[in-house]
Amino acid sequence: MNQLIAIENIDEVLTRKLLLPTIVMWNRLEGRPRRDDFVRALRAEVRDPLWMLSKQWQVGEFQGDDAGSPVFAKVHIDTTRITRYRPGAAAAVEFDDGTPLETTVEQRPINFFGHEHLLSLDIRLAMGRQWLKLLAADGLSVHAASFIVAYGFDEPDPTSRSDAFVTAHATVWQTVAAIAGRAMDGAALYFYLKADPTHRAHDGVAGIADADKPAIDQLAERFIVWYEELFHQPLADTNDAWNGAQLEYQFAVSSPTGDDDEKVMVADEYYHGHLDWYSLDVDSLAPSLAEAGGGTPPADPTDSFTHSFLPVNVQFDGMPNTRWWTFEDSRTSFGDIKPDTTDINKLLLMEFGLVYANDWFLVPFQLPVGSLANIAGLAVTNVFGERTWVRASGTGADEDWQRWAMYNLTVAGSDDVAADTTLVLLPTVPKVHDGPPLDDVRLIRDEVSNMVWAVEKWIPLATGRSKPGHEAGTELAKRFETILDGEIDGGLVVPDIPEAAATVRYELMRGVPENWIPFIPVHVDGNNREIQLQRASMPRIIIGDPNPPEKVKPRTGLMRLGLDETPPQPYFVHEEEVPRAGVRVTQGFQRTRWHDGRVFTWVGVRKQTGRGEGHSGLVFDRVTPTNRQVRPALRRFVDET
């Protein structure tokens, strides 16, 4: 036997008083049966059972209650289904429980246009390739070249200011130049078909015989279905649940209650991406969604059933055992939990696990997705044959501060003391995959300038990818300067720029980077005290440009709300939505898989807390050293004049 691992005779070691270092040595106490019969050894006999009984008496384990353990139970449940959905303040529509609720609520339109130039070229090219594949599969590939000509891409002009958003970025310029005249813009065809029911795919396409037009019309229907199944988007702006003024989603759902009435549940502050029952509140004063949608209430989907079951104790990993001589799972150490005085959740968890863990029982039953369940009552039979009728907690006339309210829906706009104990099972998914953000905007407070800035950290480019906003803004400003230099070389007359003789100069205003969009405080209509934040613009000042300065417009879809409408509309943000910590708002593609295997892809928005205040560097009325550095083309013009 290895003496370094185990000691054969511990008495001999202790008698010689040979003390071995306990840091590197260990021993184990175990039962050693002296006979071949292991029956007695496996009994784990206790030599002093009176001591065990005394400890049980000391901690009060012998104190019994006049109650029995439940052995049988019946529960009566009334169920109904969600039948109506209303995005924001739009009209209510029929609820679709075959689509994840995250997709229905979060879906936003894909940005295909911005600053009068094309965006999302990757999706446009994919749609064009799909259309050409449909033509080839139907034997109509002879018309592919005609569709490329009719729905093609224009090559950007490096001397045009309207194409500066493309030519300012080398990668975008190369991509657009490579596909010009060679690829088809499938999104242009899709928008043309959706603009008017009378539009046909062969309109304006040369060389299509009349015999081929019916087949092309059928392909157009398949093309629209393919795209709308690939990306889920709101059909119109009125179907968009995103509230840009409050930077969050707002929607409502309803279900009939069986007495010609509806239960309306609203979500006014959903933005974090985890949609579940706690995002909804019952609004007892909200109007009927069936009437708001202009339709009649659907057929009553209510149902009632009684479910019988055997109660089973709740069990969880690391659960403490209620008996003295049962070994517990050592992976969870309740003694190592060190809650602070403000850690209410930890204290409740410890109390549940240590005191009331064996008082909870499971009631397993299944509900359809998108349903609401109301438990009328629970009949419990214990081991003594006694039956007890149990109602849901909070259904009585108890005070609000004494009510057990876990898993209950909040009732807004009602003085009724009874709680809403409805169990809501929304058609949601456990996991949503978030793609890299296309738009990343940080709203920060600038106390020096007394305003709020929307800093576009990531800006979508025409290729479908994003670029840091500061880099994109710098490249765009340099591109405008390059275009101006070319115009100067071509004979453009610019104002005379006198040579600076002084060592200092007066600066009226120092600008900010182009990815900083200002939000200025304005009064709410009809109120001389309450304010809100309105999107504004900074001038794009190019030295030597004889044209009036243009306004710098945002390039992210989140900050361009209303700009692409005709006429452009202002954009307001509630002042309380931008705290001192700031706000980060991102927009990108989301993807998930439904229970039937279907894949859903959409563009969604997330909102997070920012990282504090910031300073834009915007100052007025400064005296600065004279800047003698002038662009070469402008210097040549000054020297010639």
Side-chain angles (χ1 to χ4, degrees):
M1 182 180 294
N2 192 342
Q3 296 295 329
L4 296 179
I5 297 179
I7 301 174
E8 183 176 2
N9 192 346
I10 190 65
D11 294 335
E12 180 182 354
V13 175
L14 296 178
T15 303
R16 291 185 300 162
K17 297 183 180 180
L18 179 60
L19 300 180
L20 300 178
T22 58
I23 297 179
V24 297
M25 298 295 297
W26 62 91
N27 206 342
R28 183 177 66 180
L29 297 177
E30 62 182 6
R32 281 189 172 183
R34 293 181 172 86
R35 297 186 305 175
D36 295 336
D37 185 6
F38 289 89
V39 175
R40 184 179 180 186
L42 295 177
R43 290 176 182 171
E45 296 179 353
V46 179
R47 295 297 181 181
D48 191 2
L50 182 59
W51 182 86
M52 289 288 187
L53 295 174
S54 301
K55 299 303 292 184
Q56 288 181 269
W57 170 83
Q58 185 179 8
V59 298
E61 192 172 349
F62 292 153
Q63 294 180 358
D65 297 328
D66 187 11
S69 301
V71 293
F72 185 74
K74 284 187 176 182
V75 58
H76 185 75
I77 304 175
D78 299 327
T79 63
T80 183
R81 304 293 296 273
I82 299 176
T83 57
R84 290 285 177 175
Y85 166 74
R86 184 186 64 198
V93 296
E94 186 176 353
F95 185 78
D96 181 15
D97 56 3
T99 302
L101 189 57
E102 292 91 344
T103 304
T104 304
V105 173
E106 298 179 8
Q107 57 182 339
R108 302 211 64 232
I110 299 176
N111 295 327
F112 284 102
F113 302 94
H115 269 299
E116 300 180 356
H117 70 283
L118 302 181
L119 291 177
S120 303
L121 289 181
D122 51 351
I123 301 179
R124 289 177 177 270
L125 292 173
M127 296 173 67
R129 289 194 299 269
Q130 178 65 19
W131 175 254
L132 297 180
K133 288 181 181 179
L134 293 176
L135 291 178
D138 247 25
L140 300 173
S141 57
V142 66
H143 303 303
S146 300
F147 277 97
I148 292 177
V149 173
Y151 297 97
F153 297 92
D154 298 328
E155 187 171 356
D157 184 4
T159 63
S160 174
R161 296 198 179 198
S162 60
D163 291 341
F165 292 93
V166 175
T167 58
H169 316 294
T171 304
V172 179
W173 190 358
Q174 294 172 358
T175 302
V176 178
I179 64 177
R182 300 180 179 88
M184 175 185 170
D185 186 357
L189 174 61
Y190 172 80
F191 292 138
Y192 177 78
L193 295 174
K194 296 291 291 186
D196 193 327
T198 61
H199 287 178
R200 297 293 181 263
H202 49 74
D203 294 343
V205 182
I208 298 182
D210 294 339
D212 295 336
K213 291 182 179 179
I216 293 179
D217 291 339
Q218 294 180 1
L219 293 181
E221 297 178 359
R222 293 168 53 188
F223 175 71
I224 293 176
V225 172
W226 168 83
Y227 172 73
E228 293 181 353
E229 289 181 353
L230 183 63
F231 297 104
H232 287 76
Q233 302 178 80
L235 300 179
D237 294 339
T238 56
N239 198 29
D240 192 352
W242 174 254
N243 188 341
Q246 296 182 341
L247 303 177
E248 55 203 13
Y249 289 102
Q250 296 181 351
F251 67 96
V253 294
S254 68
S255 63
T257 58
D259 52 357
D260 295 332
D261 197 3
E262 275 189 319
K263 174 177 289 187
V264 180
M265 295 167 289
V266 298
D268 292 332
E269 298 180 356
Y270 170 63
Y271 54 84
H272 37 69
H274 303 285
L275 184 57
D276 211 335
W277 63 269
Y278 45 77
S279 302
L280 300 174
D281 295 333
V282 177
D283 192 349
S284 58
L285 302 180
S288 171
L289 297 191
E291 298 176 359
T296 58
D300 190 1
T302 58
D303 189 15
S304 300
F305 65 93
T306 301
H307 179 62
S308 302
F309 64 96
L310 299 178
V312 180
N313 286 93
V314 173
Q315 295 181 356
F316 53 89
D317 292 339
M319 180 176 178
N321 210 292
T322 56
R323 309 305 298 174
W324 270 88
W325 38 76
T326 304
F327 288 99
E328 298 176 350
D329 188 356
S330 61
R331 290 178 298 177
T332 302
S333 177
F334 282 90
D336 194 44
I337 300 178
K338 300 179 177 60
D340 197 89
T341 55
T342 58
D343 293 339
I344 305 299
N345 293 334
K346 286 186 179 180
L347 294 173
L348 291 175
L349 176 62
M350 291 177 59
E351 186 176 13
F352 166 77
L354 296 175
V355 181
Y356 302 107
N358 60 337
D359 294 338
W360 292 79
F361 294 86
L362 291 176
V363 184
F365 60 93
Q366 295 182 351
L367 291 175
V369 174
S371 62
L372 284 72
N374 288 287
I375 300 177
L378 179 67
V380 181
T381 304
N382 60 15
V383 293
F384 301 112
E386 300 173 343
R387 300 186 65 185
T388 305
W389 179 254
V390 182
R391 299 182 60 191
S393 175
T395 55
D398 49 356
E399 298 293 337
D400 291 343
W401 65 275
Q402 294 178 333
R403 178 180 300 159
W404 171 260
M406 183 173 288
Y407 308 117
N408 285 354
L409 295 176
T410 302
V411 180
S414 175
D415 296 332
D416 189 5
V417 296
D420 191 293
T421 58
T422 303
L423 176 63
V424 181
L425 184 59
L426 298 177
T428 57
V429 293
K431 178 64 176 178
V432 175
H433 296 279
D434 298 335
L438 300 175
D439 302 347
D440 191 343
V441 182
R442 316 289 176 90
L443 282 86
I444 61 175
R445 287 191 175 272
D446 184 359
E447 297 298 341
V448 177
S449 303
N450 192 25
M451 60 193 309
V452 171
W453 296 91
V455 184
E456 297 178 319
K457 286 292 186 179
W458 287 88
I459 293 176
L461 300 181
T463 56
R465 297 181 178 272
S466 298
K467 192 169 189 176
H470 182 75
E471 296 181 14
T474 302
E475 293 176 355
L476 182 60
K478 291 182 178 179
R479 187 62 199 170
F480 278 117
E481 293 177 355
T482 303
I483 294 175
L484 178 61
D485 292 343
E487 294 174 349
I488 293 175
D489 292 338
L492 177 67
V493 178
V494 299
D496 186 17
I497 302 179
E499 184 72 17
T503 58
V504 296
R505 64 185 177 91
Y506 169 73
E507 187 177 60
L508 178 64
M509 180 189 70
R510 186 178 69 177
V512 298
E514 290 209 356
N515 62 317
W516 286 60
I517 308 302
F519 278 78
I520 58 177
V522 296
H523 283 290
V524 178
D525 293 340
N527 194 316
N528 60 355
R529 296 180 61 87
E530 187 177 357
I531 64 172
Q532 57 185 347
L533 304 173
Q534 182 180 5
R535 179 186 56 202
S537 300
M538 295 292 295
R540 180 182 288 117
I541 300 176
I542 304 176
I543 299 178
D545 190 358
N547 301 312
E550 297 179 351
K551 295 181 179 180
V552 178
K553 300 298 182 181
R555 300 178 62 178
T556 58
L558 290 170
M559 294 294 106
R560 289 189 61 84
L561 294 179
L563 275 182
D564 299 324
E565 299 181 11
T566 305
Q569 300 296 321
Y571 175 39
F572 298 94
V573 175
H574 289 245
E575 192 266 343
E576 64 273 10
E577 298 298 331
V578 186
R580 294 190 63 181
V583 175
R584 180 192 180 191
V585 187
T586 59
Q587 180 172 257
F589 283 100
Q590 321 289 332
R591 185 177 185 272
T592 189
R593 187 180 295 274
W594 195 223
H595 58 76
D596 57 1
R598 290 182 297 162
V599 175
F600 291 84
T601 305
W602 70 96
V603 175
V605 184
R606 299 286 186 266
K607 185 176 74 170
Q608 301 174 353
T609 304
R611 296 186 176 181
E613 300 177 358
H615 179 43
S616 61
L618 178 65
V619 292
F620 300 90
D621 302 328
R622 292 199 318 158
V623 176
T624 61
T626 301
N627 184 9
R628 298 181 179 273
Q629 296 181 359
V630 184
R631 298 192 309 279
L634 192 58
R635 170 56 61 191
R636 289 195 304 271
F637 175 82
V638 173
D639 294 341
E640 292 173 0
T641 55

mmCIF file with all atom_site columns, all heavy atoms in Angstrom, residues 292 435 442 510 638:
data_model
loop_
_atom_site.group_PDB
_atom_site.id
_atom_site.type_symbol
_atom_site.label_atom_id
_atom_site.label_alt_id
_atom_site.label_comp_id
_atom_site.label_asym_id
_atom_site.label_entity_id
_atom_site.label_seq_id
_atom_site.pdbx_PDB_ins_code
_atom_site.Cartn_x
_atom_site.Cartn_y
_atom_site.Cartn_z
_atom_site.occupancy
_atom_site.B_iso_or_equiv
_atom_site.pdbx_formal_charge
_atom_site.auth_seq_id
_atom_site.auth_comp_id
_atom_site.auth_asym_id
_atom_site.auth_atom_id
_atom_site.pdbx_PDB_model_num
ATOM 1  N N   . ALA A 1 292 ? -62.774 49.122 -33.633 1.00 0.00 ? 292 ALA A N   1
ATOM 2  C CA  . ALA A 1 292 ? -61.743 49.989 -34.198 1.00 0.00 ? 292 ALA A CA  1
ATOM 3  C C   . ALA A 1 292 ? -61.280 49.500 -35.553 1.00 0.00 ? 292 ALA A C   1
ATOM 4  O O   . ALA A 1 292 ? -60.847 50.275 -36.397 1.00 0.00 ? 292 ALA A O   1
ATOM 5  C CB  . ALA A 1 292 ? -60.544 50.078 -33.244 1.00 0.00 ? 292 ALA A CB  1
ATOM 6  N N   . GLY A 1 435 ? -28.796 40.168 -36.139 1.00 0.00 ? 435 GLY A N   1
ATOM 7  C CA  . GLY A 1 435 ? -27.708 40.436 -37.055 1.00 0.00 ? 435 GLY A CA  1
ATOM 8  C C   . GLY A 1 435 ? -26.945 41.685 -36.657 1.00 0.00 ? 435 GLY A C   1
ATOM 9  O O   . GLY A 1 435 ? -27.345 42.421 -35.740 1.00 0.00 ? 435 GLY A O   1
ATOM 10 N N   . ARG A 1 442 ? -26.689 56.988 -31.260 1.00 0.00 ? 442 ARG A N   1
ATOM 11 C CA  . ARG A 1 442 ? -26.572 57.318 -29.830 1.00 0.00 ? 442 ARG A CA  1
ATOM 12 C C   . ARG A 1 442 ? -27.162 58.713 -29.616 1.00 0.00 ? 442 ARG A C   1
ATOM 13 O O   . ARG A 1 442 ? -26.647 59.697 -30.169 1.00 0.00 ? 442 ARG A O   1
ATOM 14 C CB  . ARG A 1 442 ? -25.114 57.295 -29.376 1.00 0.00 ? 442 ARG A CB  1
ATOM 15 C CG  . ARG A 1 442 ? -24.312 56.100 -29.890 1.00 0.00 ? 442 ARG A CG  1
ATOM 16 C CD  . ARG A 1 442 ? -24.700 54.820 -29.244 1.00 0.00 ? 442 ARG A CD  1
ATOM 17 N NE  . ARG A 1 442 ? -23.989 53.686 -29.826 1.00 0.00 ? 442 ARG A NE  1
ATOM 18 C CZ  . ARG A 1 442 ? -22.814 53.232 -29.398 1.00 0.00 ? 442 ARG A CZ  1
ATOM 19 N NH1 . ARG A 1 442 ? -22.205 53.848 -28.387 1.00 0.00 ? 442 ARG A NH1 1
ATOM 20 N NH2 . ARG A 1 442 ? -22.245 52.187 -29.970 1.00 0.00 ? 442 ARG A NH2 1
ATOM 21 N N   . ARG A 1 510 ? -17.912 77.075 -35.185 1.00 0.00 ? 510 ARG A N   1
ATOM 22 C CA  . ARG A 1 510 ? -17.145 75.888 -35.509 1.00 0.00 ? 510 ARG A CA  1
ATOM 23 C C   . ARG A 1 510 ? -18.112 74.730 -35.661 1.00 0.00 ? 510 ARG A C   1
ATOM 24 O O   . ARG A 1 510 ? -18.912 74.446 -34.768 1.00 0.00 ? 510 ARG A O   1
ATOM 25 C CB  . ARG A 1 510 ? -16.119 75.559 -34.417 1.00 0.00 ? 510 ARG A CB  1
ATOM 26 C CG  . ARG A 1 510 ? -15.202 74.400 -34.805 1.00 0.00 ? 510 ARG A CG  1
ATOM 27 C CD  . ARG A 1 510 ? -14.166 74.131 -33.736 1.00 0.00 ? 510 ARG A CD  1
ATOM 28 N NE  . ARG A 1 510 ? -14.761 73.581 -32.522 1.00 0.00 ? 510 ARG A NE  1
ATOM 29 C CZ  . ARG A 1 510 ? -14.062 73.210 -31.452 1.00 0.00 ? 510 ARG A CZ  1
ATOM 30 N NH1 . ARG A 1 510 ? -12.750 73.378 -31.441 1.00 0.00 ? 510 ARG A NH1 1
ATOM 31 N NH2 . ARG A 1 510 ? -14.674 72.718 -30.398 1.00 0.00 ? 510 ARG A NH2 1
ATOM 32 N N   . VAL A 1 638 ? -6.988  81.467 -56.412 1.00 0.00 ? 638 VAL A N   1
ATOM 33 C CA  . VAL A 1 638 ? -6.592  82.682 -55.692 1.00 0.00 ? 638 VAL A CA  1
ATOM 34 C C   . VAL A 1 638 ? -5.338  83.275 -56.319 1.00 0.00 ? 638 VAL A C   1
ATOM 35 O O   . VAL A 1 638 ? -5.217  84.496 -56.512 1.00 0.00 ? 638 VAL A O   1
ATOM 36 C CB  . VAL A 1 638 ? -6.386  82.371 -54.205 1.00 0.00 ? 638 VAL A CB  1
ATOM 37 C CG1 . VAL A 1 638 ? -5.802  83.575 -53.488 1.00 0.00 ? 638 VAL A CG1 1
ATOM 38 C CG2 . VAL A 1 638 ? -7.706  81.957 -53.566 1.00 0.00 ? 638 VAL A CG2 1
#
